[in-house]
Amino acid sequence: MVRGAVQTGPLAYEIRSFERPTVGSDEGLLRIEACGICGSDVEQYRGHLVRPGMFPLIPGHEPLGVIEEVGERAAERWGVSVGDRVAVEILRPCHSCDHCLTGRYMSCPNRDGAYGMTPLSRAPSLWGGFADYLYLHPWAILHKVSKDLPPEIAVMFNPLGAGVRWATMLGEVGLGDTVLILGPGQRGLTSVIAARARGAGTIIVTGLSRDEGKLALAREFGADHTINVEEEDVVARVTEITDGALADVVLELTPIADQPIRDAIECVRHSGRIVLAGLKGGKSVQLVTDRLINKGVTVRGAFGVNAEAYIEAIRIIESGRFPLERMASGTFELADTEAAIQALADGDAIHTCVCPDGGSALAGAVTSREEAADAG
Ligand SMILES: [Zn+2]
Ligand SMILES: [Zn+2]
């Protein structure tokens, strides 16, 4: 039997058993090694981001695993064999429409939904990463990853893919650029790594007093300066650090708060670039748009991550150049999926993941439910 951590409603999880699906020529079955957790999982756990009628479902949209079974045609198309380790993208685009054919597959209107968001009622139910196995739909997108890495590190393809896309692709960070990253969460830290890998000059990261540990890690990953926004004025500090030149690129990654958007506009140089990726819960934000015009600023909205960024992220992880294990805050068993999400929601953890078979010995091995409770 196959185990899956099923979300039955807001804040409600239970372990259920499923039949192992049979695999046709165009499909596959993935044995999950690890499934990463991000802010979206926290939102989904609380009952947001999920359309009515979607419960019950198996969440988990950042899966990494080993090909357990693969049909003949699928093996050829994906270029994989049984035993290969792959990362799976969240979306299942059609690969045939104009959007897909011109590289904008994330906008595919015909897509077959998303992993971690497809209800159990749709056969074969195994549509989420918090389970022993994941069904590989013919439209799934897979990326091979080296088997030499611990699963807890390899699974960081997702947050690092975000850092790569936001900093280097949308923000176009280049050699010697000054980069300001507002927010030191999982994706702020991976943006530091991506900007560093791309040859950025000065990297500055902001955070709150409670983010002290994360800011220290940002410095370890290559940030030159960190700013505690509760003690220092961001615009004044950035002006001082850059000697008035300001930032070439600003990444705004903070959730809910709107002051960082105004700070981004003041801290970017003339003709600089701002990437917005911090969701504000749908609220409107007051801005003096004249500032954007007069500074000739390019503002880009960051929607998700694409294959180009995932491939680059996997290369960075495989290079071993950055101590990514420093981001691994906890490995949780399938039965402790809620604790894994809670640990991230509580704010101290940077990256947590669920490993159905227990994961490697990294980060103090498996965190049991009791240990997680002790850790607050
Ligand atoms: Zn995610
Ligand atoms: Zn399409």
Side-chain angles (χ1 to χ4, degrees), residues 115-281:
Y115 281 113
M117 299 286 223
T118 305
L120 287 189
S121 55
R122 172 133 186 252
S125 301
L126 300 174
W127 298 103
F130 301 148
D132 289 319
Y133 292 97
L134 182 79
Y135 166 68
L136 297 175
H137 183 275
W139 292 353
I141 300 177
L142 316 183
H143 301 289
K144 276 199 216 176
V145 185
S146 162
K147 281 200 267 190
D148 298 340
L149 302 157
E152 295 93 331
I153 300 299
V155 78
M156 290 181 191
F157 72 92
N158 191 293
L160 187 54
V164 168
R165 177 156 167 80
W166 301 347
T168 75
M169 292 167 184
L170 299 178
E172 297 175 39
V173 167
L175 273 181
D177 276 354
T178 295
V179 184
L180 171 64
I181 298 166
L182 302 168
Q186 204 180 86
R187 278 144 171 81
L189 292 169
T190 58
S191 295
V192 173
I193 292 171
R196 206 22 96 219
R198 186 55 74 97
T202 302
I203 299 177
I204 307 165
V205 182
T206 68
L208 305 169
S209 299
R210 65 161 189 260
D211 297 325
E212 199 184 323
K214 294 175 185 175
L215 293 174
L217 192 50
R219 291 191 294 273
E220 222 174 297
F221 285 152
D224 303 282
H225 304 272
T226 52
I227 300 174
N228 178 338
V229 303
E230 288 172 302
E231 288 172 2
E232 298 172 285
D233 181 83
V234 176
V235 181
R237 269 298 280 147
V238 170
T239 304
E240 185 187 8
I241 290 166
T242 61
D243 207 11
L246 303 178
D248 298 288
V249 182
V250 182
L251 308 181
E252 204 293 292
L253 312 179
T254 69
I256 309 301
D258 53 6
Q259 183 56 39
I261 297 188
R262 290 186 286 271
D263 289 343
I265 296 170
E266 294 311 313
C267 289
V268 74
R269 69 158 161 84
H270 196 278
S271 303
R273 303 171 292 283
I274 296 175
V275 177
L276 299 180
L279 290 171
K280 307 302 181 191

Side-chain angles (χ1 to χ4, degrees), residues 38 61-62 158 187:
C38 75
H61 59 271
E62 304 182 4
N158 191 293
R187 278 144 171 81

